[in-house]
């Protein structure tokens, strides 16, 4: 096992001497004697066999090698500071890790804004984000596999806060037979075509929601894979409006007109499966999520005193 020949304190002293412009100034900042700093740097250089500093007059200057070592020393000292801060935060009840499950159809722009606001105040918490779909999301809630969940439905016995309205459109390639048909189509005409569907992430998927009447279906893992297949001219799919609008405007995809059920709408919900287990970091993330989504932001800004984080006004959902 590797045993270091130098100490973290020596590297801290080395960084301080450079940053404060000399041994005397660094000794004052570190509340140490100048002789102890001289001895520490001399010992470090002797151990390494590399000259890090050279003294000219009353000032210490970096050597070329010292410049390279300084960058590494700064990183080392920063990592140690973060390590000890993490230990302090955990001792104070701050979580080391948060598991966050997100329904695949949920709009990413307000979500990413929430994460952007959470990061500076996360104190080193390891955030595990993973996508879930349909019954897989419900399964995560029921089995309490995540601390925070954004779901398309609220299972019985749980509370949810609406975050965003999601609209699903049936779409295909502009040259697909469904797009070339004259007039408004019936659902029966859809059932004769290949449907691209998103794989349910549950251990035991249950096809209980959505339009699934097509006899031939191909299953993919996410919406982007579905779009790639549609762009080749094959099949149709029900996809979120916020993902396909741009493709439709560029005439790369076509929105299918149906006689009935031309779109499907639902709200994504913010759910905490086990509120009693939630720690301060998770609560901070919850606050960021609420304030970044227009449906919840107005309520929380008007009715709650948010002291955890300072956030800018919420943006509109896309």
């Amino acid at each position: 096992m590797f045993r270091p020949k130098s100490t973290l304190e020596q590297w801290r002293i080395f960084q301080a001497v450079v940053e404060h412009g000399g041994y005397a100034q660094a000794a004052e900042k570190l509340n140490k004697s100048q002789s102890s700093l001289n001895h520490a740097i001399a010992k470090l250089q002797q151990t390494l066999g590399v000259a890090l500093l050279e003294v000219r007059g009353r000032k210490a200057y970096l050597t070329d090698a010292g410049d390279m070592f300084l960058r590494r020393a700064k990183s080392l000292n920063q990592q140690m500071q973060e390590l000890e801060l993490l230990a302090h935060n955990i001792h104070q009840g701050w979580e080391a890790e948060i598991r966050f499950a997100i329904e695949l159809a949920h709009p990413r722009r307000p979500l990413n804004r929430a994460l952007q606001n959470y990061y500076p105040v996360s104190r080193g918490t390891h955030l595990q984000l993973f996508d879930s779909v349909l019954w897989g999301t419900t399964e995560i809630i029921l089995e309490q596999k995540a601390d925070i969940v954004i779901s398309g439905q609220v299972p019985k016995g749980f509370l949810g806060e609406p975050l965003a309205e999601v609209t699903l459109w049936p779409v295909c390639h502009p040259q697909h037979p469904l797009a070339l048909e004259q007039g408004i189509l019936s659902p029966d005409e859809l059932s004769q075509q290949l449907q691209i569907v998103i794989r349910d992430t549950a251990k035991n998927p249950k096809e209980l929601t959505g339009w699934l009447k097509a006899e031939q279906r191909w299953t993919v893992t996410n919406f982007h894979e579905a779009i790639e297949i549609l762009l080749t001219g094959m099949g149709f799919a029900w996809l979120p409006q916020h993902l396909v609008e741009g493709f439709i405007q560029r005439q790369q995809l076509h929105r299918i007109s149906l006689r009935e059920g031309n779109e499907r709408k639902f709200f994504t919900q913010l759910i905490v499966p086990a509120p009693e287990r939630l720690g301060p970091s998770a609560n901070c993330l919850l606050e960021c999520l609420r304030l970044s989504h227009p449906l919840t932001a107005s309520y929380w800004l008007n009715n709650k005193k948010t002291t955890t984080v300072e956030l800018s006004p919420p943006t509109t959902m896309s």
Side-chain angles (χ1 to χ4, degrees):
M1 184 177 179
F2 173 74
R3 297 183 65 179
K5 298 176 182 178
S6 58
T7 67
L8 187 64
E9 180 64 10
Q10 287 174 325
W11 290 112
R12 188 173 79 99
I13 290 172
F14 169 58
Q15 181 180 343
V17 169
V18 175
E19 290 183 345
H20 297 298
Y23 287 94
Q25 299 91 322
E28 184 179 349
K29 292 291 183 180
L30 297 178
N31 196 27
K32 291 178 176 288
S33 68
Q34 186 174 339
S35 60
S36 67
L37 268 60
N38 274 284
H39 176 76
I41 297 297
K43 182 68 174 176
L44 178 61
Q45 294 182 120
Q46 181 184 359
T47 301
L48 297 175
V50 176
L52 303 175
L53 296 171
E54 59 179 3
V55 179
R56 283 179 261 160
R58 294 189 175 184
K59 199 164 185 181
Y61 294 87
L62 276 172
T63 63
D64 290 340
D67 184 58
M68 180 176 63
F69 276 97
L70 177 63
R71 291 194 297 271
R72 298 292 185 91
K74 286 181 178 179
S75 176
L76 180 65
N77 289 326
Q78 178 66 28
Q79 288 176 23
M80 180 55 68
Q81 183 178 349
E82 291 173 357
L83 190 63
E84 292 185 352
L85 178 61
L86 178 60
H88 172 75
N89 290 334
I90 292 173
H91 179 70
Q92 297 297 317
W94 197 269
E95 305 96 301
E97 179 180 280
I98 296 172
R99 292 175 59 81
F100 182 17
I102 306 155
E103 167 61 46
L104 195 63
H106 183 75
R108 262 33 184 189
R109 184 173 294 180
L111 173 64
N112 289 337
R113 182 173 178 275
L115 296 177
Q116 184 180 20
N117 285 316
Y118 169 71
Y119 174 67
V121 294
S122 61
R123 299 190 191 178
T125 296
H126 179 204
L127 185 60
Q128 282 203 44
L129 299 95
F130 48 97
D131 290 326
S132 58
V133 180
L134 299 174
W135 187 256
T137 311
T138 301
E139 190 175 81
I140 288 171
I141 297 168
L142 295 175
E143 297 180 9
Q144 298 185 7
K145 290 183 176 179
D147 303 293
I148 299 172
V149 180
I150 295 179
S151 173
Q153 54 189 347
V154 182
K156 185 177 180 181
F158 294 86
L159 298 175
E161 301 173 39
L163 283 184
E165 184 179 50
V166 177
T167 301
L168 300 178
W169 286 346
V171 295
C172 64
H173 190 276
Q175 297 303 314
H176 189 279
L178 290 172
L180 299 176
E181 286 283 344
Q182 298 295 322
I184 299 176
L185 304 178
S186 68
D188 287 339
E189 290 174 280
L190 279 188
S191 67
Q192 306 304 312
Q193 300 292 333
L194 169 67
Q195 182 180 4
I196 312 300
V197 298
I198 310 302
R199 178 175 289 106
D200 194 323
T201 53
K203 289 180 293 187
N204 299 301
K206 301 179 181 180
E207 294 185 343
L208 300 177
T209 60
W211 194 96
L212 294 167
K213 293 183 179 180
E215 291 297 326
Q216 188 178 9
R217 297 198 295 273
W218 286 1
T219 304
V220 298
T221 57
N222 58 62
F223 293 125
H224 299 291
E225 288 184 7
I227 289 172
E228 288 298 319
I229 293 176
L230 297 183
L231 291 174
T232 68
M234 294 187 293
F236 77 94
W238 289 85
L239 298 177
Q241 173 187 346
H242 61 269
L243 288 181
V244 299
E245 269 185 320
F247 291 96
I248 293 172
Q249 290 170 3
R250 295 188 296 272
Q251 298 184 343
Q252 294 174 292
L253 290 178
H254 169 79
R255 181 182 177 186
I256 301 169
S257 296
L258 297 176
R259 188 171 297 119
E260 56 189 36
N262 205 37
E263 62 182 21
R264 291 163 45 205
K265 290 180 178 287
F266 66 93
F267 287 95
T268 53
Q269 307 274 341
L270 182 61
I271 299 172
V272 179
E276 69 282 358
R277 295 210 310 254
L278 223 59
S281 187
N283 276 305
C284 182
L285 176 57
L286 279 177
E287 184 175 334
C288 292
L289 288 165
R290 287 162 175 153
L291 292 178
S292 68
H293 291 78
L295 286 178
T296 53
S298 58
Y299 172 80
W300 286 95
L301 287 171
N302 293 329
N303 297 281
K304 300 289 182 181
K305 293 182 179 178
T306 55
T307 57
T308 307
V309 286
E310 295 279 339
L311 300 180
S312 54
T315 55
T316 56
M317 185 185 74
S318 65

